[in-house]
Amino acid sequence: MATTPRTIPAEHRADVERLWDYHNMHHEIRPVDVGIGLGSHDLGVAKIATDLYHQGMYPTLVFTGANAPTTIQTFPRGEAVHYREYALTHGVPAGAILIDTLAKNTGQNIENTRALLVERQIQARSVMLMSRPYQQRRAYATCKKLWPSVYVVCAAYSPSLDDYLASIGNTKKVIDMLVGDTQRIDKYAELGFAIPQHVPGDVRAAYSRLVQAGYTSRLV
């Protein structure tokens, strides 16, 4: 499969764009009790979390994430630690930030954050989950499974698809992860990790074609 690091092969573009749009929850940004930045390889999470804090969307910001094979080189001190450093550098007060440095998956992100808020006696009736653009749907489904009472708004730093790919610098890695997240919508609901989400037929077809094309490194 021929590809360059920052270019989507023409024959796969429509399928990648369909999955990209499917995972965007298109939620309206509104004030909530707590912002939660989910750890990943993408510094855009810290950027959107910092921007929305300064817009007054939440008084408390939690960054959650240890490391994964895809993040250890980018964030050697841990995802949440690097995100916190970015937020502090860009004007978020230290007293407004909590961090969880142990979570290694989205379920642990949610569970550890909830426990941290209880420990600090911070009431959270509503939260804003901030993630990679294509993680929004899975993050929402996971949160509603583990924390059904909370009102969830999803947000992401969302430039155009091509600009996002350029910012990451590795198109195949992003497409592989996009395909992997699509598989997890059904798989994690079956395993009881997340609530079920509707997957339209054209999304399933796009996913199947990309799997057949070899974008499979993030499948479970």
Side-chain angles (χ1 to χ4, degrees), residues 113-130:
T113 295
R114 191 176 184 184
L116 182 59
L117 293 171
V118 170
E119 177 187 323
R120 297 300 182 93
Q121 299 184 324
I122 298 172
Q123 187 173 28
R125 295 174 296 258
S126 58
V127 299
M128 187 174 299
L129 297 181
M130 291 160 287

Side-chain angles (χ1 to χ4, degrees), residues 46-190:
K47 293 178 180 177
I48 187 68
T50 297
D51 290 348
L52 292 177
Y53 175 84
H54 287 307
Q55 292 175 35
M57 291 297 145
Y58 36 77
T60 301
L61 175 56
V62 181
F63 289 124
T64 167
N67 270 126
T70 57
T71 68
I72 186 68
Q73 291 185 339
T74 306
F75 300 131
R77 293 186 299 284
E79 299 154 5
V81 172
H82 282 267
Y83 284 5
R84 179 180 182 272
E85 290 171 355
Y86 177 92
L88 291 173
T89 300
H90 291 82
V92 179
I97 305 173
L98 303 176
I99 63 170
D100 155 48
T101 61
L102 301 178
K104 295 185 177 181
N105 57 54
T106 307
Q108 291 177 8
N109 289 145
I110 302 303
E111 291 175 331
N112 293 2
T113 295
R114 191 176 184 184
L116 182 59
L117 293 171
V118 170
E119 177 187 323
R120 297 300 182 93
Q121 299 184 324
I122 298 172
Q123 187 173 28
R125 295 174 296 258
S126 58
V127 299
M128 187 174 299
L129 297 181
M130 291 160 287
S131 66
R132 296 164 294 178
Y134 52 86
Q135 190 187 357
Q136 291 178 64
R137 185 171 293 276
R138 180 164 63 85
Y140 175 85
T142 302
C143 188
K144 293 304 290 183
K145 179 70 177 184
L146 297 175
W147 196 354
S149 63
V150 78
Y151 183 88
V152 180
V153 178
C154 292
Y157 175 67
S158 296
S160 70
L161 173 57
D162 288 307
D163 286 345
Y164 182 79
L165 294 171
S167 73
I168 299 300
N170 187 328
T171 289
K172 186 176 187 302
K173 176 181 178 180
V174 173
I175 299 176
D176 280 353
M177 297 187 79
L178 185 58
V179 169
D181 265 47
T182 304
Q183 182 203 36
R184 286 163 174 77
I185 296 299
D186 283 338
K187 179 71 72 175
Y188 282 7
E190 292 168 2

